[in-house]
Amino acid sequence: MAARHIDTSGLDADYVSLAAHKLYGPKGIGALFVRGRTRLTALQTGGGQERGLRAGTLNVPAIVGFGAAAALITTDAVTPNGEIRALRDRPADRLCDAIPGAIVNGHPRRRLPGNLSITLPAVEAADLLDHMPTLAASTGSACNTGSAAALAQAR
């Protein structure tokens, strides 16, 4: 497979942010694309890193990890999106067929291939997860709850 690059010329965006952990890299590191003449203002003062826009010492291990993850997603080692979509859609289709009123949340086609959000009325999430032991799922998002309770419910 040929390397995939982010083509920013077709984007109507002055900034594009990337988080390494969204592509299996380490947490706490990211990248920011800034369109040519777009101006930035420093939020912290100190050091002259990144043309005076950022202070502090670089997290070299995280940067290297981000680079390795980015390189990995440009190889055949990563499952193509079509296969990931099929893995996402199979349980969604089965649940929608089996549970009256089940609704897949989000746009029907323009969704992330590896993410499924589904509303199952009158179904206890913990009971559902108990009946699907091979499915990696959770009943909520730990980043939105402000607590570890959602993580405790993840199966």
Side-chain angles (χ1 to χ4, degrees), residues 8 11-18 31-41:
T8 58
L11 294 177
D12 186 24
D14 291 326
Y15 307 97
V16 177
S17 63
L18 304 166
L32 178 66
F33 164 81
V34 179
R35 187 159 313 278
R37 295 193 172 118
T38 305
R39 297 184 56 94
L40 291 175
T41 304

Side-chain angles (χ1 to χ4, degrees), residues 6-73:
I6 297 172
D7 181 6
T8 58
S9 64
L11 294 177
D12 186 24
D14 291 326
Y15 307 97
V16 177
S17 63
L18 304 166
H21 71 276
K22 296 297 183 180
L23 51 108
Y24 307 108
K27 290 184 179 185
I29 189 73
L32 178 66
F33 164 81
V34 179
R35 187 159 313 278
R37 295 193 172 118
T38 305
R39 297 184 56 94
L40 291 175
T41 304
L43 294 176
Q44 296 177 335
T45 58
Q49 294 88 346
E50 305 300 329
R51 298 182 189 135
L53 293 173
R54 186 189 60 77
T57 303
L58 296 174
N59 182 352
V60 176
I63 294 168
V64 171
F66 189 2
L72 181 63
I73 66 168

Side-chain angles (χ1 to χ4, degrees), residues 27 138-154:
K27 290 184 179 185
S138 69
T139 59
S141 174
C143 63
N144 286 332
T145 64
S147 73
L151 287 176
Q153 294 179 14

